[in-house]
PDB file of all heavy atoms in Angstrom:
ATOM      1  N   SER E 186      15.848 -56.277  22.746  1.00  0.00           N
ATOM      2  CA  SER E 186      15.569 -57.044  23.955  1.00  0.00           C
ATOM      3  C   SER E 186      16.776 -57.861  24.406  1.00  0.00           C
ATOM      4  O   SER E 186      17.065 -57.943  25.630  1.00  0.00           O
ATOM      5  CB  SER E 186      14.302 -57.912  23.817  1.00  0.00           C
ATOM      6  OG  SER E 186      14.530 -58.852  22.748  1.00  0.00           O
ATOM      7  N   LEU E 187      17.460 -58.463  23.477  1.00  0.00           N
ATOM      8  CA  LEU E 187      18.629 -59.248  23.808  1.00  0.00           C
ATOM      9  C   LEU E 187      19.802 -58.371  24.272  1.00  0.00           C
ATOM     10  O   LEU E 187      20.561 -58.711  25.190  1.00  0.00           O
ATOM     11  CB  LEU E 187      19.065 -60.114  22.598  1.00  0.00           C
ATOM     12  CG  LEU E 187      20.160 -61.121  22.826  1.00  0.00           C
ATOM     13  CD1 LEU E 187      19.826 -62.086  23.961  1.00  0.00           C
ATOM     14  CD2 LEU E 187      20.466 -61.911  21.528  1.00  0.00           C
ATOM     15  N   THR E 188      19.976 -57.242  23.626  1.00  0.00           N
ATOM     16  CA  THR E 188      21.056 -56.363  24.046  1.00  0.00           C
ATOM     17  C   THR E 188      20.817 -55.779  25.435  1.00  0.00           C
ATOM     18  O   THR E 188      21.747 -55.529  26.201  1.00  0.00           O
ATOM     19  CB  THR E 188      21.308 -55.243  23.010  1.00  0.00           C
ATOM     20  OG1 THR E 188      22.560 -54.620  23.220  1.00  0.00           O
ATOM     21  CG2 THR E 188      20.248 -54.157  23.107  1.00  0.00           C
ATOM     22  N   MET E 189      19.513 -55.556  25.809  1.00  0.00           N
ATOM     23  CA  MET E 189      19.223 -55.117  27.148  1.00  0.00           C
ATOM     24  C   MET E 189      19.476 -56.255  28.156  1.00  0.00           C
ATOM     25  O   MET E 189      19.847 -55.995  29.278  1.00  0.00           O
ATOM     26  CB  MET E 189      17.789 -54.633  27.249  1.00  0.00           C
ATOM     27  CG  MET E 189      17.515 -53.303  26.561  1.00  0.00           C
ATOM     28  SD  MET E 189      18.713 -52.016  27.017  1.00  0.00           S
ATOM     29  CE  MET E 189      18.525 -51.972  28.812  1.00  0.00           C
ATOM     30  N   PHE E 190      19.266 -57.462  27.739  1.00  0.00           N
ATOM     31  CA  PHE E 190      19.593 -58.610  28.627  1.00  0.00           C
ATOM     32  C   PHE E 190      21.092 -58.641  28.942  1.00  0.00           C
ATOM     33  O   PHE E 190      21.486 -58.903  30.041  1.00  0.00           O
ATOM     34  CB  PHE E 190      19.151 -59.913  27.937  1.00  0.00           C
ATOM     35  CG  PHE E 190      19.592 -61.164  28.644  1.00  0.00           C
ATOM     36  CD1 PHE E 190      19.072 -61.532  29.846  1.00  0.00           C
ATOM     37  CD2 PHE E 190      20.547 -61.963  28.056  1.00  0.00           C
ATOM     38  CE1 PHE E 190      19.445 -62.658  30.523  1.00  0.00           C
ATOM     39  CE2 PHE E 190      20.976 -63.150  28.710  1.00  0.00           C
ATOM     40  CZ  PHE E 190      20.444 -63.481  29.944  1.00  0.00           C
ATOM     41  N   PHE E 191      21.935 -58.358  27.934  1.00  0.00           N
ATOM     42  CA  PHE E 191      23.348 -58.272  28.167  1.00  0.00           C
ATOM     43  C   PHE E 191      23.679 -57.174  29.213  1.00  0.00           C
ATOM     44  O   PHE E 191      24.515 -57.380  30.088  1.00  0.00           O
ATOM     45  CB  PHE E 191      24.098 -58.044  26.898  1.00  0.00           C
ATOM     46  CG  PHE E 191      23.948 -59.155  25.877  1.00  0.00           C
ATOM     47  CD1 PHE E 191      23.893 -58.881  24.522  1.00  0.00           C
ATOM     48  CD2 PHE E 191      23.879 -60.439  26.254  1.00  0.00           C
ATOM     49  CE1 PHE E 191      23.743 -59.872  23.564  1.00  0.00           C
ATOM     50  CE2 PHE E 191      23.771 -61.488  25.334  1.00  0.00           C
ATOM     51  CZ  PHE E 191      23.687 -61.167  23.992  1.00  0.00           C
ATOM     52  N   ARG E 192      23.054 -56.014  29.043  1.00  0.00           N
ATOM     53  CA  ARG E 192      23.275 -54.947  30.019  1.00  0.00           C
ATOM     54  C   ARG E 192      22.813 -55.339  31.406  1.00  0.00           C
ATOM     55  O   ARG E 192      23.431 -54.968  32.428  1.00  0.00           O
ATOM     56  CB  ARG E 192      22.646 -53.670  29.477  1.00  0.00           C
ATOM     57  CG  ARG E 192      22.764 -52.447  30.488  1.00  0.00           C
ATOM     58  CD  ARG E 192      24.155 -52.236  30.998  1.00  0.00           C
ATOM     59  NE  ARG E 192      25.210 -52.073  29.953  1.00  0.00           N
ATOM     60  CZ  ARG E 192      25.989 -51.017  29.829  1.00  0.00           C
ATOM     61  NH1 ARG E 192      25.875 -50.012  30.716  1.00  0.00           N
ATOM     62  NH2 ARG E 192      26.910 -50.981  28.904  1.00  0.00           N
ATOM     63  N   PHE E 193      21.706 -56.004  31.533  1.00  0.00           N
ATOM     64  CA  PHE E 193      21.235 -56.469  32.793  1.00  0.00           C
ATOM     65  C   PHE E 193      22.210 -57.410  33.487  1.00  0.00           C
ATOM     66  O   PHE E 193      22.468 -57.348  34.665  1.00  0.00           O
ATOM     67  CB  PHE E 193      19.907 -57.196  32.669  1.00  0.00           C
ATOM     68  CG  PHE E 193      18.727 -56.284  32.308  1.00  0.00           C
ATOM     69  CD1 PHE E 193      17.514 -56.781  31.870  1.00  0.00           C
ATOM     70  CD2 PHE E 193      18.892 -54.920  32.399  1.00  0.00           C
ATOM     71  CE1 PHE E 193      16.489 -55.954  31.504  1.00  0.00           C
ATOM     72  CE2 PHE E 193      17.810 -54.074  32.062  1.00  0.00           C
ATOM     73  CZ  PHE E 193      16.628 -54.582  31.621  1.00  0.00           C
ATOM     74  N   LEU E 194      22.826 -58.326  32.660  1.00  0.00           N
ATOM     75  CA  LEU E 194      23.848 -59.212  33.199  1.00  0.00           C
ATOM     76  C   LEU E 194      25.056 -58.435  33.706  1.00  0.00           C
ATOM     77  O   LEU E 194      25.647 -58.740  34.760  1.00  0.00           O
ATOM     78  CB  LEU E 194      24.319 -60.216  32.139  1.00  0.00           C
ATOM     79  CG  LEU E 194      23.344 -61.360  31.762  1.00  0.00           C
ATOM     80  CD1 LEU E 194      23.974 -62.257  30.742  1.00  0.00           C
ATOM     81  CD2 LEU E 194      22.936 -62.136  33.011  1.00  0.00           C
ATOM     82  N   ASP E 195      25.459 -57.387  32.955  1.00  0.00           N
ATOM     83  CA  ASP E 195      26.605 -56.548  33.397  1.00  0.00           C
ATOM     84  C   ASP E 195      26.311 -55.870  34.694  1.00  0.00           C
ATOM     85  O   ASP E 195      27.141 -55.806  35.611  1.00  0.00           O
ATOM     86  CB  ASP E 195      26.936 -55.588  32.323  1.00  0.00           C
ATOM     87  CG  ASP E 195      27.422 -56.228  31.035  1.00  0.00           C
ATOM     88  OD1 ASP E 195      27.913 -57.350  31.091  1.00  0.00           O
ATOM     89  OD2 ASP E 195      27.299 -55.603  29.967  1.00  0.00           O
ATOM     90  N   ILE E 196      25.129 -55.316  34.833  1.00  0.00           N
ATOM     91  CA  ILE E 196      24.707 -54.623  36.067  1.00  0.00           C
ATOM     92  C   ILE E 196      24.690 -55.620  37.193  1.00  0.00           C
ATOM     93  O   ILE E 196      25.131 -55.317  38.333  1.00  0.00           O
ATOM     94  CB  ILE E 196      23.375 -53.923  35.886  1.00  0.00           C
ATOM     95  CG1 ILE E 196      23.540 -52.685  34.887  1.00  0.00           C
ATOM     96  CG2 ILE E 196      22.845 -53.407  37.207  1.00  0.00           C
ATOM     97  CD1 ILE E 196      22.248 -52.030  34.563  1.00  0.00           C
ATOM     98  N   ALA E 197      24.105 -56.818  36.965  1.00  0.00           N
ATOM     99  CA  ALA E 197      24.028 -57.827  38.026  1.00  0.00           C
ATOM    100  C   ALA E 197      25.433 -58.249  38.462  1.00  0.00           C
ATOM    101  O   ALA E 197      25.672 -58.469  39.630  1.00  0.00           O
ATOM    102  CB  ALA E 197      23.234 -59.012  37.544  1.00  0.00           C
ATOM    103  N   GLY E 198      26.368 -58.361  37.458  1.00  0.00           N
ATOM    104  CA  GLY E 198      27.730 -58.687  37.852  1.00  0.00           C
ATOM    105  C   GLY E 198      28.405 -57.671  38.727  1.00  0.00           C
ATOM    106  O   GLY E 198      29.107 -58.018  39.680  1.00  0.00           O
ATOM    107  N   VAL E 199      28.182 -56.395  38.386  1.00  0.00           N
ATOM    108  CA  VAL E 199      28.793 -55.329  39.181  1.00  0.00           C
ATOM    109  C   VAL E 199      28.159 -55.307  40.576  1.00  0.00           C
ATOM    110  O   VAL E 199      28.896 -55.209  41.605  1.00  0.00           O
ATOM    111  CB  VAL E 199      28.553 -53.953  38.484  1.00  0.00           C
ATOM    112  CG1 VAL E 199      28.994 -52.806  39.368  1.00  0.00           C
ATOM    113  CG2 VAL E 199      29.362 -53.876  37.168  1.00  0.00           C
ATOM    114  N   ASN E 200      26.831 -55.370  40.690  1.00  0.00           N
ATOM    115  CA  ASN E 200      26.184 -55.288  41.973  1.00  0.00           C
ATOM    116  C   ASN E 200      26.546 -56.503  42.877  1.00  0.00           C
ATOM    117  O   ASN E 200      26.753 -56.321  44.087  1.00  0.00           O
ATOM    118  CB  ASN E 200      24.688 -55.247  41.753  1.00  0.00           C
ATOM    119  CG  ASN E 200      24.194 -53.891  41.324  1.00  0.00           C
ATOM    120  OD1 ASN E 200      24.970 -52.963  41.155  1.00  0.00           O
ATOM    121  ND2 ASN E 200      22.894 -53.733  41.140  1.00  0.00           N
ATOM    122  N   SER E 201      26.588 -57.678  42.293  1.00  0.00           N
ATOM    123  CA  SER E 201      26.880 -58.869  43.106  1.00  0.00           C
ATOM    124  C   SER E 201      28.281 -58.780  43.649  1.00  0.00           C
ATOM    125  O   SER E 201      28.571 -59.240  44.802  1.00  0.00           O
ATOM    126  CB  SER E 201      26.674 -60.127  42.280  1.00  0.00           C
ATOM    127  OG  SER E 201      27.505 -60.114  41.120  1.00  0.00           O
ATOM    128  N   HIS E 202      29.266 -58.269  42.890  1.00  0.00           N
ATOM    129  CA  HIS E 202      30.644 -58.174  43.428  1.00  0.00           C
ATOM    130  C   HIS E 202      30.691 -57.125  44.479  1.00  0.00           C
ATOM    131  O   HIS E 202      31.419 -57.294  45.490  1.00  0.00           O
ATOM    132  CB  HIS E 202      31.566 -57.761  42.261  1.00  0.00           C
ATOM    133  CG  HIS E 202      33.007 -57.628  42.722  1.00  0.00           C
ATOM    134  ND1 HIS E 202      33.628 -56.420  42.809  1.00  0.00           N
ATOM    135  CD2 HIS E 202      33.889 -58.561  43.118  1.00  0.00           C
ATOM    136  CE1 HIS E 202      34.869 -56.593  43.245  1.00  0.00           C
ATOM    137  NE2 HIS E 202      35.059 -57.886  43.435  1.00  0.00           N
ATOM    138  N   ILE E 203      29.916 -56.048  44.430  1.00  0.00           N
ATOM    139  CA  ILE E 203      29.905 -55.060  45.459  1.00  0.00           C
ATOM    140  C   ILE E 203      29.382 -55.646  46.781  1.00  0.00           C
ATOM    141  O   ILE E 203      29.904 -55.382  47.879  1.00  0.00           O
ATOM    142  CB  ILE E 203      29.109 -53.811  45.038  1.00  0.00           C
ATOM    143  CG1 ILE E 203      29.818 -53.067  43.859  1.00  0.00           C
ATOM    144  CG2 ILE E 203      28.846 -52.876  46.166  1.00  0.00           C
ATOM    145  CD1 ILE E 203      28.999 -51.999  43.206  1.00  0.00           C
ATOM    146  N   ILE E 204      28.317 -56.443  46.681  1.00  0.00           N
ATOM    147  CA  ILE E 204      27.772 -57.072  47.871  1.00  0.00           C
ATOM    148  C   ILE E 204      28.795 -58.078  48.454  1.00  0.00           C
ATOM    149  O   ILE E 204      29.002 -58.147  49.661  1.00  0.00           O
ATOM    150  CB  ILE E 204      26.435 -57.805  47.490  1.00  0.00           C
ATOM    151  CG1 ILE E 204      25.368 -56.763  47.143  1.00  0.00           C
ATOM    152  CG2 ILE E 204      25.935 -58.656  48.678  1.00  0.00           C
ATOM    153  CD1 ILE E 204      24.084 -57.340  46.661  1.00  0.00           C
ATOM    154  N   TYR E 205      29.447 -58.811  47.561  1.00  0.00           N
ATOM    155  CA  TYR E 205      30.463 -59.762  47.993  1.00  0.00           C
ATOM    156  C   TYR E 205      31.602 -59.064  48.743  1.00  0.00           C
ATOM    157  O   TYR E 205      32.052 -59.500  49.777  1.00  0.00           O
ATOM    158  CB  TYR E 205      31.014 -60.502  46.781  1.00  0.00           C
ATOM    159  CG  TYR E 205      32.356 -61.193  47.016  1.00  0.00           C
ATOM    160  CD1 TYR E 205      32.436 -62.378  47.701  1.00  0.00           C
ATOM    161  CD2 TYR E 205      33.516 -60.600  46.500  1.00  0.00           C
ATOM    162  CE1 TYR E 205      33.670 -62.997  47.856  1.00  0.00           C
ATOM    163  CE2 TYR E 205      34.709 -61.209  46.665  1.00  0.00           C
ATOM    164  CZ  TYR E 205      34.805 -62.405  47.360  1.00  0.00           C
ATOM    165  OH  TYR E 205      36.031 -62.986  47.566  1.00  0.00           O
ATOM    166  N   VAL E 206      32.080 -57.927  48.212  1.00  0.00           N
ATOM    167  CA  VAL E 206      33.155 -57.215  48.889  1.00  0.00           C
ATOM    168  C   VAL E 206      32.688 -56.662  50.239  1.00  0.00           C
ATOM    169  O   VAL E 206      33.420 -56.695  51.239  1.00  0.00           O
ATOM    170  CB  VAL E 206      33.643 -56.080  47.959  1.00  0.00           C
ATOM    171  CG1 VAL E 206      34.658 -55.146  48.736  1.00  0.00           C
ATOM    172  CG2 VAL E 206      34.341 -56.613  46.744  1.00  0.00           C
ATOM    173  N   GLY E 207      31.433 -56.133  50.221  1.00  0.00           N
ATOM    174  CA  GLY E 207      30.888 -55.638  51.501  1.00  0.00           C
ATOM    175  C   GLY E 207      30.802 -56.711  52.572  1.00  0.00           C
ATOM    176  O   GLY E 207      31.033 -56.402  53.770  1.00  0.00           O
ATOM    177  N   ASN E 208      30.477 -57.925  52.201  1.00  0.00           N
ATOM    178  CA  ASN E 208      30.355 -59.012  53.161  1.00  0.00           C
ATOM    179  C   ASN E 208      31.679 -59.473  53.702  1.00  0.00           C
ATOM    180  O   ASN E 208      31.786 -60.095  54.722  1.00  0.00           O
ATOM    181  CB  ASN E 208      29.589 -60.175  52.562  1.00  0.00           C
ATOM    182  CG  ASN E 208      28.133 -59.821  52.312  1.00  0.00           C
ATOM    183  OD1 ASN E 208      27.560 -59.017  52.998  1.00  0.00           O
ATOM    184  ND2 ASN E 208      27.529 -60.546  51.355  1.00  0.00           N
ATOM    185  N   HIS E 209      32.777 -59.160  52.933  1.00  0.00           N
ATOM    186  CA  HIS E 209      34.084 -59.596  53.348  1.00  0.00           C
ATOM    187  C   HIS E 209      34.873 -58.474  54.032  1.00  0.00           C
ATOM    188  O   HIS E 209      36.044 -58.709  54.410  1.00  0.00           O
ATOM    189  CB  HIS E 209      34.909 -60.082  52.105  1.00  0.00           C
ATOM    190  CG  HIS E 209      34.546 -61.479  51.704  1.00  0.00           C
ATOM    191  ND1 HIS E 209      33.405 -61.789  51.139  1.00  0.00           N
ATOM    192  CD2 HIS E 209      35.243 -62.656  51.797  1.00  0.00           C
ATOM    193  CE1 HIS E 209      33.337 -63.087  50.837  1.00  0.00           C
ATOM    194  NE2 HIS E 209      34.448 -63.622  51.267  1.00  0.00           N
ATOM    195  N   MET E 210      34.300 -57.333  54.234  1.00  0.00           N
ATOM    196  CA  MET E 210      35.037 -56.253  54.872  1.00  0.00           C
ATOM    197  C   MET E 210      35.270 -56.521  56.343  1.00  0.00           C
ATOM    198  O   MET E 210      36.285 -56.035  56.918  1.00  0.00           O
ATOM    199  CB  MET E 210      34.260 -54.964  54.714  1.00  0.00           C
ATOM    200  CG  MET E 210      34.297 -54.376  53.294  1.00  0.00           C
ATOM    201  SD  MET E 210      33.371 -52.806  53.150  1.00  0.00           S
ATOM    202  CE  MET E 210      34.400 -51.788  54.193  1.00  0.00           C
ATOM    203  N   MET E 211      34.389 -57.303  56.988  1.00  0.00           N
ATOM    204  CA  MET E 211      34.555 -57.589  58.419  1.00  0.00           C
ATOM    205  C   MET E 211      35.380 -58.849  58.696  1.00  0.00           C
ATOM    206  O   MET E 211      35.510 -59.258  59.806  1.00  0.00           O
ATOM    207  CB  MET E 211      33.200 -57.674  59.033  1.00  0.00           C
ATOM    208  CG  MET E 211      32.306 -56.475  58.862  1.00  0.00           C
ATOM    209  SD  MET E 211      33.049 -54.983  59.521  1.00  0.00           S
ATOM    210  CE  MET E 211      33.127 -55.349  61.249  1.00  0.00           C
ATOM    211  N   THR E 212      35.893 -59.459  57.638  1.00  0.00           N
ATOM    212  CA  THR E 212      36.673 -60.680  57.835  1.00  0.00           C
ATOM    213  C   THR E 212      38.159 -60.410  57.430  1.00  0.00           C
ATOM    214  O   THR E 212      38.447 -59.399  56.794  1.00  0.00           O
ATOM    215  CB  THR E 212      36.126 -61.799  56.906  1.00  0.00           C
ATOM    216  OG1 THR E 212      36.232 -61.460  55.554  1.00  0.00           O
ATOM    217  CG2 THR E 212      34.658 -62.066  57.235  1.00  0.00           C
ATOM    218  N   ALA E 213      38.976 -61.314  57.836  1.00  0.00           N
ATOM    219  CA  ALA E 213      40.449 -61.183  57.497  1.00  0.00           C
ATOM    220  C   ALA E 213      40.721 -61.623  56.117  1.00  0.00           C
ATOM    221  O   ALA E 213      41.821 -61.313  55.571  1.00  0.00           O
ATOM    222  CB  ALA E 213      41.266 -62.006  58.513  1.00  0.00           C
ATOM    223  N   GLU E 214      39.821 -62.318  55.455  1.00  0.00           N
ATOM    224  CA  GLU E 214      40.065 -62.806  54.093  1.00  0.00           C
ATOM    225  C   GLU E 214      40.030 -61.649  53.113  1.00  0.00           C
ATOM    226  O   GLU E 214      39.088 -60.789  53.156  1.00  0.00           O
ATOM    227  CB  GLU E 214      39.000 -63.826  53.705  1.00  0.00           C
ATOM    228  CG  GLU E 214      39.174 -64.412  52.347  1.00  0.00           C
ATOM    229  CD  GLU E 214      38.090 -65.405  52.019  1.00  0.00           C
ATOM    230  OE1 GLU E 214      37.245 -65.656  52.859  1.00  0.00           O
ATOM    231  OE2 GLU E 214      38.121 -65.952  50.880  1.00  0.00           O
ATOM    232  N   LYS E 215      40.995 -61.618  52.196  1.00  0.00           N
ATOM    233  CA  LYS E 215      41.027 -60.563  51.218  1.00  0.00           C
ATOM    234  C   LYS E 215      40.040 -60.865  50.107  1.00  0.00           C
ATOM    235  O   LYS E 215      40.021 -61.990  49.565  1.00  0.00           O
ATOM    236  CB  LYS E 215      42.430 -60.479  50.592  1.00  0.00           C
ATOM    237  CG  LYS E 215      42.569 -59.333  49.581  1.00  0.00           C
ATOM    238  CD  LYS E 215      43.989 -59.257  49.066  1.00  0.00           C
ATOM    239  CE  LYS E 215      44.130 -58.154  48.027  1.00  0.00           C
ATOM    240  NZ  LYS E 215      45.487 -58.100  47.479  1.00  0.00           N
ATOM    241  N   PRO E 216      39.109 -59.972  49.721  1.00  0.00           N
ATOM    242  CA  PRO E 216      38.115 -60.265  48.725  1.00  0.00           C
ATOM    243  C   PRO E 216      38.773 -60.405  47.341  1.00  0.00           C
ATOM    244  O   PRO E 216      39.781 -59.837  47.065  1.00  0.00           O
ATOM    245  CB  PRO E 216      37.168 -59.068  48.803  1.00  0.00           C
ATOM    246  CG  PRO E 216      38.008 -57.961  49.380  1.00  0.00           C
ATOM    247  CD  PRO E 216      38.960 -58.627  50.305  1.00  0.00           C
ATOM    248  N   LYS E 217      38.068 -61.090  46.498  1.00  0.00           N
ATOM    249  CA  LYS E 217      38.559 -61.333  45.149  1.00  0.00           C
ATOM    250  C   LYS E 217      38.302 -60.140  44.285  1.00  0.00           C
ATOM    251  O   LYS E 217      37.400 -59.353  44.578  1.00  0.00           O
ATOM    252  CB  LYS E 217      37.871 -62.543  44.503  1.00  0.00           C
ATOM    253  CG  LYS E 217      38.095 -63.863  45.199  1.00  0.00           C
ATOM    254  CD  LYS E 217      37.275 -64.972  44.523  1.00  0.00           C
ATOM    255  CE  LYS E 217      37.491 -66.313  45.223  1.00  0.00           C
ATOM    256  NZ  LYS E 217      36.734 -67.425  44.564  1.00  0.00           N
TER     257      LYS E 217
END
């Protein structure tokens, strides 16, 4: 159960960065 929690955190980190990049595509600011 704990090792699946780690994988959930990794997936959440990947997904959140993809949403962050998508929100910055229409701006002049370069995404991190």
Side-chain angles (χ1 to χ4, degrees):
S186 59
L187 187 57
T188 196
M189 287 310 303
F190 172 69
F191 296 144
R192 177 48 56 123
F193 290 166
L194 286 183
D195 295 337
I196 292 175
V199 172
N200 284 0
S201 58
H202 180 252
I203 292 172
I204 294 176
Y205 161 79
V206 172
N208 291 336
H209 280 71
M210 289 182 64
M211 303 302 295
T212 63
E214 182 183 358
K215 183 178 179 181
K217 298 178 181 179

